[in-house]
Amino acid sequence: MAATERDQPPTALKAPGALRALTAAALALPGLMASHGVAAEDSNEATLNYHHYAEGERDLEGRTYKSLNLRPIEVDSLALAVRNTLADRWRFALNYTQDTWSGATPVLSVPQAAINEQIVSGASAPLAYLTDSKHRPVDVDPDSFDGQKFKTAEDARLVHLMASASPETRRQVDGRLDYGWDRASLGVGGGVSEEPDYHSGFLNVGGTFDFNQKRTTLAWGSSYTVSNINASLDANAAADWGAYLGYIRESRGHNTLFGQRHDVGATLSVTHIIDKNSLIEAGMGYTRSSGFLENPYKATMLAFDDPNQFVDASGLRTVQLRGVLEQRPGSRDQFNWNVRYVDYIAPLDAALHADYRFYHDDWGINAHTINLSWHQPLGGGWMLVPGTRYYSQSRADFYAPYFLFNQEYPAMPGPIFPGVPRPLDFSKLARRDFSSDARLSGFGSIGGELAVSREFSKGAKLEIGADYSVHAGSLKLGGGGEKSFADVDSYVVYATLAMDLSAPALAGVLPHADGETADAGKAPLRLRRAPAGVQWDHLLAAEGDMEVGYHFNYDMRGNGIQHGGRRAGDTEIITSACEDTLCSLTPRDSDTHVSTVDFMLGLSPRATMILSADYVNHDIALRDLDVDVQDALGIIPPPRVSYTRSAGGLGDVSLHFLYGLVEASGHEVHAGLGFSAPTGSVEKRLAGSRDFSAYDSQLGSGTWDFHPSLTYSGELLRFAWGTQLSGIKRMEASNDAGYRLGDQFQATTWGSVRLTDWLSASIRGQYTNQGGVHGRFDAHAAPQVTGTRLVGAETQEVFEYVDTPSAIYGPMDSTDSTGGQSWDVGFGVNAVVPSGLLRGNRVSVEWLEPVADHFNGYQLERQGSLQLRWDLPL
C-alpha cells in the first residue's frame, strides 16, 4: 500500500537569499534534483523514514469488526536512503524499504438482501437473494406468511465481504548511479522488491539537461518492471476459478495462482525558474502494463436472474449468485500530465507549493489531483508545513459492486451435488471483464496534513507529520460516485531523520591513532568503542556534543527444535510441547530484524542522554508435524491457521542516561540508567482469528521496563578491552494483553586490536539469561453453539460469545517454551572513515555465533546473529 505522496519542505528559506530558498524548495522536484549547483552538495545525505498507515472501520451494516474477528488495515514502513558523491562527477543512491501490513480488506461486495437471505437459510455463503417484480432486492420476513405470501421490504443496501490475510512484509532494495557534466547528467538504476506472493525486478535510466543559463532543466526517464505472482487461493476457496485453470497449480499443499506482468514507462518534464521568487514545472508520463493485471485476492459476485423462472402470486423472483475471481483486461495504457508551481513570498519568508495532476487510462478512469502546501519557517531552524489535497476519479468500465445478468445460470455440464454451486461456463457470459475492487470505482478523497521539522546546525534534520483523509463516493467531482458502503477514512503518521553527510560540522573531524575521533585543534578524544552488538558503551566528550547512530540486528533461527539443550523429534513435540493439548504445527525457521535509531546528546563531560526507537519485524515459517505420527495418535489437526506468520512495526522507545564514575589513564567506568515505554504492539493476532500470534512475534514488551547497565573499558597501546553487565527489569505485573515478559540479565566481555589507524578487529563473549513469560494472553470472546431454535420451517443453531483462551497450535504459542540461557562468541571489525565526505563516521560489523543453549521448553535452535552499526557525529 503506497504512502501518500507529499512535497518535501524547503531546507532553507532565509530572507537574504530568496533564490537560494526557492531553489532549495524546488530540489524536491524530480526535474530539479541534482540539476543545479547546490543540488550536488545537498544530495550527500542519509535519511531514515518511518510511516504508520491505518484505515478506519468500514460500515458493514450492523456487523462490527470485533464480532467478525477483523481488524482494519495497518501498514508500518521503514525506509533508509543514502545519497553521496563518489568523485567529482559521480553520484550514487542506495535505498532500502520495508513495509509490513496486516488487517482485513474487502474481497467482494453483495446486496445486503443476499446476506439477510443467507442468515435466514443458514447457508455458509450468500447463494441467492429475492427481488420484487421491478427487479429490486427485497428482504422477506420469514414469520409474516399469511397463507398466500410473505411481507417484503425493499433493500437497496450494499455491503462488503471482508477477509483477513496473515501479516506480510515487503522488502525492496534499489540503487542508482549518476554521472554529471556541467549542463547534463545521466543515470542508471535498478532494484528488486520481494514479498511472499509478489516478486518484482526493475531497471531505469534517465537524465537531465540544463539550458537557458541553467534556469531551465529538461528531465527524462524510462523504466521496465517484471513482476511474478504466486498467490495462494485459500482465501477465495469458495470462488469459481474456472477462468484461471491454466494459471493454477498446487504448491506446498495450496492451490496457487501463478502469473506475470510487465510494465514499461517513460517520463518527460521541464522545470523553469521564472525569477528569483518562483518556478514552474510541467511534465507528462506514460506506462504500458500487460500480462496478469488482476488482484488474485479480489472476487466479484455475479448475479443471474433467469427470465424464464417460475414466479408465484407474490411476484418474488430468485436471483442466483456465484462468486468468481475478478477478471481485468490483459493490458493497460496509462497517461498522466502534471504542473507544479512554487512561489517564494518574501514578506512572509515562506513558500507556496501548488500541484495539479491529470491521469487517464484506457480502462475508462480519469483522475484529478490537487495539492496545496505552505512552507513557513518559524526561526531557530523550525519549519511548519500545513497542506491539503483533493483527488477524484471516474470508475473503470468493467467495475460494479456486483454484476447482474438477465440470463439463466450458465452451468458447465456435469454432476450436481446438493449445496454445491456448479462451475460456470464463462463462454456464455455477456461480458469478459468484471471487478468489484472499490479502488476502481468512482470516488473522491479530501485530506489534510501538518508537518513540523527542525534543522540543526550540525547537519541533521528531524521532521514529524500526520495526514488524514476521507475516501467517499459522494466526494467525486461532478457526482455519480460509489455508494457509501465503500467509504473509508485513513491516517498516516511519520517521522524522518535526515543527515547531511557534507555538513560543515564534519569538516573538522579527524581520526585519532587509536581509531577514535577528535576535533581539529583539540586534544584527541579518549573514547573507546565496543563491538557493534554492545549498546550504551561510550559517553560523549563535551556538553552539547551530538551523535546519531543506526543499529541493525538480524537474528536467525532454524535447523530443528531443541528441548533444553538437545534435539526434539516430532512425536515428542506433538505430545509434550503444547501444554495440555496436542501440537499440530511447529516452526521451521524464523528471522527477526530490529532497526534501532539512537540520538545521543552530551549533557556534560561525564553525562550523556540517549533517546532510542526500534522498528521490529518478525517472520516465522511453520510446518506440519509428521502426519504419520498424528494419525497413529488419532489426532485430527485443527484448521490450518497459516504456514507463515509475520509482524512488523514500531517497537518500544527508550530513554537512557549514562554517567561517568571513573576516568583514569587508559581506564573508564560508567553506569547507565534507562527506561523503555511500551509503544510496541503486544496484540498482534492471526489472520481472521482472535487468537494471538506467538509471544516472540509481538513488537514490544507491553510494560514499562527498567534497563540498568555498568560498563568498563580500557586500552593500552594497540589493544582495547571492556566488560558490560546489563539487565531488563519489568516494572508491571502484566501488559494489556494479559502477560509479562521475563526479566533479562546479560554479561559480555570483549577485546580488540588496532590493525591500522582506521581499522580494528574484535572478539567478544556473551552470556544471556532470559526469563520465561509470566501469565498468558487474555481470553477472548468467541462464538460457540449453545443450542438450536426454530425460525419459520428452518432449524437454526444458536451462538453465544464465550471467553476462550488463545489457541496453542505449536510450541511457539506456549508460555512454557519461552526464555532460557545462551552463550555466544562474537567476531567483528570497527572502522572510522579516515577521509572524504564521510570522514569521522564509524561503521561496525559483528557476527555472533551461538556456542551453547539451554532453552525452557521447546524452541528453535539459534543459528546466529548479524550486527551492523553506523555512528555519525554531528
Side-chain angles (χ1 to χ4, degrees):
M1 184 169 296
T4 303
E5 292 185 359
R6 188 183 60 81
D7 286 338
Q8 298 295 323
T11 56
L13 284 177
K14 306 299 181 183
L19 181 57
R20 175 173 174 265
L22 178 65
T23 305
L27 288 178
L29 306 180
L32 284 186
M33 183 63 71
S35 299
H36 297 278
V38 295
E41 297 177 0
D42 290 350
S43 66
N44 297 313
E45 69 172 8
T47 60
L48 185 67
N49 182 275
Y50 169 74
H51 272 70
H52 176 77
Y53 168 90
E55 289 186 354
E57 293 193 7
R58 299 171 185 265
D59 182 4
L60 301 180
E61 296 295 344
R63 288 170 292 276
T64 65
Y65 275 55
K66 182 177 180 180
S67 67
L68 297 172
N69 291 330
L70 302 176
R71 290 195 166 198
I73 278 286
E74 289 187 323
V75 183
D76 288 281
S77 300
L78 182 72
L80 175 65
V82 178
R83 293 168 177 80
N84 199 22
T85 300
L86 294 176
D88 290 341
R89 296 183 178 274
W90 289 96
R91 292 186 298 275
F92 83 95
L94 184 64
N95 307 291
Y96 172 77
T97 303
Q98 171 181 308
D99 47 61
T100 301
W101 70 269
S102 62
T105 58
V107 175
L108 51 74
S109 49
V110 297
Q112 176 63 32
I115 301 296
N116 296 338
E117 178 66 19
Q118 174 193 359
I119 295 172
V120 172
S121 66
S124 59
L127 302 177
Y129 66 93
L130 298 176
T131 66
D132 60 17
S133 58
K134 297 182 180 180
H135 303 280
R136 297 174 299 192
V138 296
D139 294 330
V140 177
D141 183 352
D143 299 321
S144 66
F145 187 67
D146 60 6
Q148 294 185 342
K149 61 181 180 179
F150 293 93
K151 290 182 179 179
T152 63
E154 182 183 350
D155 190 348
R157 295 175 297 169
L158 297 166
V159 66
H160 279 307
L161 296 186
M162 310 287 289
S164 290
S166 298
E168 291 187 352
T169 297
R170 181 186 70 92
R171 296 181 177 91
Q172 177 174 311
V173 178
D174 62 89
R176 185 176 175 89
L177 183 65
D178 289 89
Y179 183 82
W181 293 271
D182 290 340
R183 299 178 59 183
S185 69
L186 178 66
V188 294
V192 293
S193 176
E194 293 287 330
E195 52 190 299
D197 54 3
Y198 202 88
H199 315 273
S200 296
F202 52 91
L203 298 171
N204 56 68
V205 61
T208 63
F209 179 73
D210 296 332
F211 56 96
N212 190 22
Q213 298 180 333
K214 292 193 174 183
R215 292 168 58 93
T216 305
T217 298
L218 175 69
W220 62 273
S222 61
S223 64
Y224 170 71
T225 303
V226 58
S227 304
N228 293 291
I229 303 101
N230 56 305
S232 170
L233 297 178
D234 290 355
N236 281 326
D240 192 312
W241 307 337
Y244 295 102
L245 293 180
Y247 293 85
I248 299 171
R249 63 179 184 267
E250 186 174 313
S251 176
R252 299 181 67 178
H254 299 267
N255 287 308
T256 303
L257 187 151
F258 293 86
Q260 188 175 84
R261 65 175 289 169
H262 302 265
D263 298 272
V264 179
T267 60
L268 181 67
S269 67
V270 176
T271 305
H272 177 65
I273 298 179
I274 301 172
D275 54 35
K276 68 177 184 178
N277 291 325
S278 58
L279 65 78
I280 190 170
E281 179 192 74
M284 62 181 297
Y286 168 74
T287 301
R288 167 77 175 183
S289 302
S290 60
F292 190 87
L293 305 185
E294 288 82 359
N295 184 329
Y297 301 113
K298 298 295 184 182
T300 297
M301 192 65 80
L302 306 186
F304 300 95
D305 186 353
D306 184 355
N308 300 318
Q309 67 177 283
F310 171 77
V311 179
D312 61 19
S314 67
L316 296 179
R317 305 175 60 86
T318 299
V319 178
Q320 191 170 354
L321 297 174
R322 186 67 172 116
V324 302
L325 296 184
E326 70 166 17
Q327 294 180 217
R328 302 184 182 188
S331 63
R332 188 179 191 182
D333 292 310
Q334 304 155 77
F335 305 85
N336 67 80
W337 296 264
N338 70 280
V339 61
R340 174 174 298 184
Y341 177 72
V342 180
D343 187 26
Y344 172 70
I345 303 172
L348 300 177
D349 189 24
L352 171 68
H353 288 218
D355 300 52
Y356 170 75
R357 178 176 182 265
F358 175 71
Y359 168 90
H360 166 78
D361 65 28
D362 61 351
W363 286 4
I365 295 179
N366 294 307
H368 307 266
T369 306
I370 299 173
N371 282 282
L372 296 173
S373 60
W374 182 265
H375 301 251
Q376 180 65 61
L378 301 177
W382 290 92
M383 175 79 73
L384 181 68
V385 184
T388 186
R389 176 186 63 262
Y390 174 73
Y391 174 84
S392 176
Q393 75 170 44
S394 58
R395 71 172 182 87
D397 296 334
F398 52 90
Y399 167 82
Y402 68 99
F403 290 82
L404 180 61
F405 294 86
N406 187 32
Q407 67 180 81
E408 179 185 9
Y409 183 91
M412 293 285 286
I416 299 176
F417 300 97
V420 178
R422 295 173 65 186
L424 286 172
D425 185 348
F426 286 89
S427 66
K428 295 181 179 179
L429 295 179
R431 62 184 307 142
R432 294 290 177 265
D433 299 320
F434 30 74
S435 175
S436 297
D437 188 340
R439 293 171 296 183
L440 297 177
S441 68
F443 68 90
S445 69
I446 189 168
E449 75 160 332
L450 182 65
V452 178
S453 65
R454 169 71 194 279
E455 187 170 2
F456 300 93
S457 60
K458 296 185 177 182
K461 177 181 176 182
L462 178 65
E463 178 180 337
I464 59 174
D467 183 296
Y468 176 78
S469 62
V470 176
H471 166 126
S474 61
L475 293 175
K476 178 181 176 293
L477 188 67
E482 188 51 277
K483 294 182 179 180
S484 61
F485 80 97
D487 294 353
V488 66
D489 62 345
S490 63
Y491 72 87
V492 174
V493 293
Y494 66 89
T496 301
L497 177 65
M499 294 165 284
D500 187 351
L501 303 180
S502 59
L506 296 181
V509 178
L510 299 174
H512 178 50
D514 63 0
E516 299 301 338
T517 59
D519 288 342
K522 296 184 180 180
L525 301 178
R526 308 297 293 177
L527 299 179
R528 302 154 190 90
R529 298 296 175 91
V534 180
Q535 295 180 293
W536 319 308
D537 65 307
H538 69 283
L539 300 168
L540 295 183
E543 179 181 352
D545 282 359
M546 291 185 291
E547 183 175 289
V548 173
Y550 173 75
H551 177 226
F552 178 74
N553 175 20
Y554 179 27
D555 183 75
M556 292 162 280
R557 291 188 172 218
N559 197 32
I561 296 292
Q562 286 189 202
H563 176 52
R566 62 174 177 80
R567 183 69 60 86
D570 279 12
T571 302
E572 181 181 355
I573 296 171
I574 291 173
T575 57
S576 304
C578 289
E579 301 178 15
D580 57 354
T581 187
L582 297 171
C583 297
S584 60
L585 294 173
T586 190
R588 187 181 71 241
D589 55 66
S590 73
D591 297 326
T592 297
H593 310 79
V594 181
S595 293
T596 303
V597 178
D598 299 323
F599 176 76
M600 302 182 66
L601 175 64
L603 304 179
S604 74
R606 299 182 66 179
T608 296
M609 180 182 73
I610 308 173
L611 179 64
S612 301
D614 293 340
Y615 183 91
V616 183
N617 185 263
H618 299 288
D619 294 299
I620 303 178
L622 306 176
R623 67 173 179 87
D624 292 311
L625 287 162
D626 192 298
V627 176
D628 293 335
V629 175
Q630 296 189 41
D631 290 343
L633 295 172
I635 300 172
I636 301 176
R640 198 61 59 234
V641 177
S642 173
Y643 280 95
T644 59
R645 296 183 185 178
S646 296
L650 180 67
D652 290 344
V653 174
S654 61
L655 182 65
H656 296 262
F657 293 91
L658 307 183
Y659 187 78
L661 302 176
V662 176
E663 186 173 3
S665 176
H667 303 278
E668 179 183 286
V669 179
H670 67 262
L673 298 176
F675 299 89
S676 62
T679 52
S681 172
V682 292
E683 296 187 356
K684 294 295 183 181
R685 301 175 188 259
L686 304 181
S689 171
R690 298 299 294 172
D691 293 327
F692 288 91
S693 190
Y695 296 94
D696 289 344
S697 295
Q698 304 301 321
L699 304 183
S701 70
T703 55
W704 287 87
D705 301 331
F706 175 51
H707 299 253
S709 64
L710 182 66
T711 306
Y712 160 75
S713 60
E715 66 173 351
L716 179 64
L717 301 176
R718 298 169 54 225
F719 302 95
W721 58 88
T723 296
Q724 184 183 86
L725 305 177
S726 62
I728 303 176
K729 177 65 178 177
R730 314 298 173 184
M731 299 173 62
E732 297 179 83
S734 65
N735 56 32
D736 291 342
Y739 69 94
R740 169 172 59 86
L741 295 179
D743 296 337
Q744 183 189 92
F745 170 76
Q746 191 171 85
T748 186
T749 298
W750 66 90
S752 65
V753 58
R754 191 178 71 247
L755 304 177
T756 70
D757 287 345
W758 56 272
L759 182 67
S760 65
S762 65
I763 186 170
R764 179 164 71 99
Q766 178 175 281
Y767 166 75
T768 304
N769 188 319
Q770 173 65 58
V773 171
H774 298 261
R776 63 176 302 148
F777 286 119
D778 287 334
H780 59 273
Q784 293 188 6
V785 178
T786 59
T788 60
R789 65 178 178 177
L790 191 65
V791 179
E794 299 285 342
T795 299
Q796 294 184 0
E797 295 176 330
V798 176
F799 293 86
E800 290 185 6
Y801 282 87
V802 179
D803 283 344
T804 305
S806 187
I808 298 177
Y809 298 97
M812 64 283 176
D813 300 317
S814 171
T815 59
D816 293 343
S817 297
T818 58
Q821 300 178 71
S822 62
W823 293 261
D824 301 89
V825 60
F827 306 92
V829 293
N830 299 335
V832 177
V833 181
S835 61
L837 290 172
L838 297 179
R839 181 167 56 174
N841 283 233
R842 180 181 300 275
V843 179
S844 306
V845 182
E846 184 184 32
W847 172 260
L848 276 178
E849 179 68 24
V851 175
D853 296 300
H854 192 278
F855 294 133
N856 298 332
Y858 297 82
Q859 301 182 40
L860 271 174
E861 180 179 330
R862 297 186 309 123
Q863 293 183 305
S865 176
L866 178 65
Q867 312 282 333
L868 303 174
R869 185 168 185 88
W870 176 24
D871 293 311
L872 172 65
L874 300 178

Short mmCIF file of all heavy atoms in Angstrom, two decimals, residues 21 101 115 126 164 189 207 239 243 256 312 316 375 435 443 514 554 559 598 602 668 674 755 807 844 871:
data_model
loop_
_atom_site.label_atom_id
_atom_site.label_comp_id
_atom_site.label_asym_id
_atom_site.label_seq_id
_atom_site.Cartn_x
_atom_site.Cartn_y
_atom_site.Cartn_z
N ALA A 21 16.61 30.05 -1.41
CA ALA A 21 15.47 29.42 -0.74
C ALA A 21 14.53 28.77 -1.74
O ALA A 21 14.06 27.65 -1.54
CB ALA A 21 14.71 30.47 0.08
N TRP A 101 2.18 -5.14 6.44
CA TRP A 101 0.77 -4.79 6.54
C TRP A 101 -0.01 -5.96 7.14
O TRP A 101 0.37 -7.12 7.03
CB TRP A 101 0.19 -4.39 5.18
CG TRP A 101 0.04 -5.50 4.18
CD1 TRP A 101 0.95 -5.92 3.26
CD2 TRP A 101 -1.10 -6.36 4.02
NE1 TRP A 101 0.45 -6.97 2.54
CE2 TRP A 101 -0.80 -7.26 2.98
CE3 TRP A 101 -2.33 -6.44 4.66
CZ2 TRP A 101 -1.70 -8.24 2.57
CZ3 TRP A 101 -3.24 -7.42 4.24
CH2 TRP A 101 -2.92 -8.30 3.20
N ILE A 115 -27.23 -11.19 2.10
CA ILE A 115 -26.74 -11.54 3.43
C ILE A 115 -27.92 -11.92 4.31
O ILE A 115 -27.86 -12.90 5.06
CB ILE A 115 -25.96 -10.37 4.04
CG1 ILE A 115 -24.76 -10.00 3.15
CG2 ILE A 115 -25.51 -10.70 5.45
CD1 ILE A 115 -23.74 -11.09 3.04
N PRO A 126 -23.49 -16.41 0.91
CA PRO A 126 -24.66 -15.89 0.18
C PRO A 126 -24.77 -16.53 -1.20
O PRO A 126 -23.89 -16.41 -2.03
CB PRO A 126 -24.35 -14.39 0.09
CG PRO A 126 -22.88 -14.26 0.27
CD PRO A 126 -22.48 -15.38 1.17
N SER A 164 -9.34 -11.45 6.10
CA SER A 164 -8.01 -11.13 6.62
C SER A 164 -7.00 -12.11 6.06
O SER A 164 -7.32 -13.28 5.82
CB SER A 164 -7.98 -11.21 8.15
OG SER A 164 -8.71 -10.16 8.73
N GLY A 189 19.72 2.83 -12.97
CA GLY A 189 19.39 2.25 -11.67
C GLY A 189 18.59 0.98 -11.82
O GLY A 189 18.20 0.57 -12.92
N GLY A 207 17.95 11.08 -17.26
CA GLY A 207 18.94 12.14 -17.26
C GLY A 207 18.32 13.52 -17.25
O GLY A 207 17.10 13.67 -17.28
N ALA A 239 -14.75 -19.33 -4.35
CA ALA A 239 -15.00 -18.66 -5.62
C ALA A 239 -14.75 -19.62 -6.79
O ALA A 239 -14.05 -20.63 -6.66
CB ALA A 239 -14.10 -17.43 -5.75
N ALA A 243 -11.95 -19.51 -14.89
CA ALA A 243 -11.30 -18.67 -15.90
C ALA A 243 -9.78 -18.71 -15.80
O ALA A 243 -9.08 -18.23 -16.69
CB ALA A 243 -11.80 -17.23 -15.76
N THR A 256 -2.41 -22.62 -5.87
CA THR A 256 -1.68 -21.37 -6.04
C THR A 256 -1.79 -20.88 -7.46
O THR A 256 -1.65 -21.65 -8.41
CB THR A 256 -0.20 -21.57 -5.67
OG1 THR A 256 -0.11 -22.07 -4.33
CG2 THR A 256 0.57 -20.27 -5.76
N ASP A 312 -44.42 -16.95 -8.56
CA ASP A 312 -45.74 -17.20 -7.98
C ASP A 312 -46.50 -15.89 -7.82
O ASP A 312 -46.07 -14.82 -8.29
CB ASP A 312 -45.61 -17.94 -6.66
CG ASP A 312 -44.83 -17.15 -5.62
OD1 ASP A 312 -44.70 -15.93 -5.78
OD2 ASP A 312 -44.34 -17.77 -4.65
N LEU A 316 -42.30 -12.50 -6.34
CA LEU A 316 -40.89 -12.54 -5.95
C LEU A 316 -40.09 -13.40 -6.93
O LEU A 316 -40.51 -14.47 -7.32
CB LEU A 316 -40.75 -13.08 -4.54
CG LEU A 316 -41.37 -12.24 -3.42
CD1 LEU A 316 -41.18 -12.91 -2.08
CD2 LEU A 316 -40.76 -10.84 -3.42
N HIS A 375 4.90 26.38 3.20
CA HIS A 375 6.14 26.09 3.91
C HIS A 375 6.58 27.34 4.66
O HIS A 375 7.09 28.29 4.04
CB HIS A 375 7.21 25.63 2.92
CG HIS A 375 6.81 24.40 2.15
ND1 HIS A 375 7.37 23.17 2.36
CD2 HIS A 375 5.86 24.21 1.19
CE1 HIS A 375 6.81 22.28 1.56
NE2 HIS A 375 5.90 22.90 0.84
N SER A 435 -14.86 -6.48 -12.25
CA SER A 435 -14.16 -6.29 -10.98
C SER A 435 -15.05 -5.51 -10.04
O SER A 435 -15.76 -4.58 -10.46
CB SER A 435 -12.84 -5.55 -11.18
OG SER A 435 -12.22 -5.26 -9.92
N PHE A 443 -14.94 7.77 -7.10
CA PHE A 443 -14.92 8.31 -5.75
C PHE A 443 -14.05 9.56 -5.71
O PHE A 443 -13.36 9.91 -6.67
CB PHE A 443 -14.38 7.27 -4.75
CG PHE A 443 -12.92 6.95 -4.90
CD1 PHE A 443 -11.94 7.67 -4.24
CD2 PHE A 443 -12.52 5.92 -5.74
CE1 PHE A 443 -10.61 7.37 -4.39
CE2 PHE A 443 -11.17 5.61 -5.90
CZ PHE A 443 -10.22 6.34 -5.22
N ASP A 514 44.15 5.78 17.75
CA ASP A 514 43.58 4.56 18.28
C ASP A 514 42.25 4.22 17.62
O ASP A 514 41.52 3.36 18.09
CB ASP A 514 43.38 4.66 19.80
CG ASP A 514 42.40 5.76 20.18
OD1 ASP A 514 41.89 6.43 19.26
OD2 ASP A 514 42.12 5.93 21.39
N TYR A 554 20.09 -8.69 12.97
CA TYR A 554 19.42 -9.74 12.19
C TYR A 554 19.66 -11.06 12.91
O TYR A 554 20.77 -11.59 12.91
CB TYR A 554 19.99 -9.76 10.77
CG TYR A 554 19.41 -10.82 9.86
CD1 TYR A 554 18.12 -11.32 10.05
CD2 TYR A 554 20.15 -11.32 8.79
CE1 TYR A 554 17.60 -12.28 9.21
CE2 TYR A 554 19.63 -12.29 7.94
CZ TYR A 554 18.36 -12.77 8.16
OH TYR A 554 17.83 -13.72 7.33
N ASN A 559 16.86 -25.06 11.78
CA ASN A 559 17.60 -26.32 11.91
C ASN A 559 17.07 -27.21 13.04
O ASN A 559 17.82 -27.93 13.67
CB ASN A 559 19.09 -26.05 12.12
CG ASN A 559 19.95 -27.27 11.84
OD1 ASN A 559 19.60 -28.09 10.98
ND2 ASN A 559 21.05 -27.41 12.55
N ASP A 598 19.44 5.76 17.39
CA ASP A 598 19.84 6.40 18.65
C ASP A 598 20.18 7.86 18.39
O ASP A 598 20.86 8.19 17.40
CB ASP A 598 21.09 5.73 19.24
CG ASP A 598 20.86 4.27 19.57
OD1 ASP A 598 19.76 3.94 20.02
OD2 ASP A 598 21.80 3.47 19.37
N GLY A 602 25.33 15.13 24.62
CA GLY A 602 26.19 15.32 25.77
C GLY A 602 25.62 16.36 26.71
O GLY A 602 25.43 17.51 26.32
N GLU A 668 38.12 3.52 32.04
CA GLU A 668 36.89 4.30 32.21
C GLU A 668 35.78 3.37 32.69
O GLU A 668 35.65 2.23 32.21
CB GLU A 668 36.48 4.96 30.90
CG GLU A 668 35.20 5.77 30.98
CD GLU A 668 34.81 6.32 29.62
OE1 GLU A 668 35.46 7.28 29.15
OE2 GLU A 668 33.86 5.77 29.03
N GLY A 674 18.23 3.36 32.35
CA GLY A 674 17.33 3.56 31.23
C GLY A 674 15.93 3.07 31.53
O GLY A 674 15.72 2.22 32.38
N LEU A 755 44.38 -2.65 13.79
CA LEU A 755 45.10 -3.17 12.63
C LEU A 755 45.75 -2.05 11.83
O LEU A 755 46.85 -2.21 11.31
CB LEU A 755 44.14 -3.96 11.74
CG LEU A 755 43.40 -5.12 12.43
CD1 LEU A 755 42.43 -5.77 11.46
CD2 LEU A 755 44.39 -6.14 13.00
N ALA A 807 -5.62 -19.96 21.17
CA ALA A 807 -5.29 -21.34 20.80
C ALA A 807 -3.78 -21.56 20.80
O ALA A 807 -2.98 -20.66 20.52
CB ALA A 807 -5.88 -21.67 19.44
N SER A 844 30.57 -0.40 12.10
CA SER A 844 30.95 -1.62 12.83
C SER A 844 30.11 -2.78 12.35
O SER A 844 28.92 -2.63 12.08
CB SER A 844 30.75 -1.43 14.34
OG SER A 844 31.42 -0.29 14.82
N ASP A 871 27.60 5.08 13.13
CA ASP A 871 27.53 6.24 14.03
C ASP A 871 28.01 7.47 13.28
O ASP A 871 29.08 7.46 12.65
CB ASP A 871 28.39 6.02 15.27
CG ASP A 871 27.85 4.91 16.15
OD1 ASP A 871 26.64 4.93 16.44
OD2 ASP A 871 28.63 4.02 16.54
#
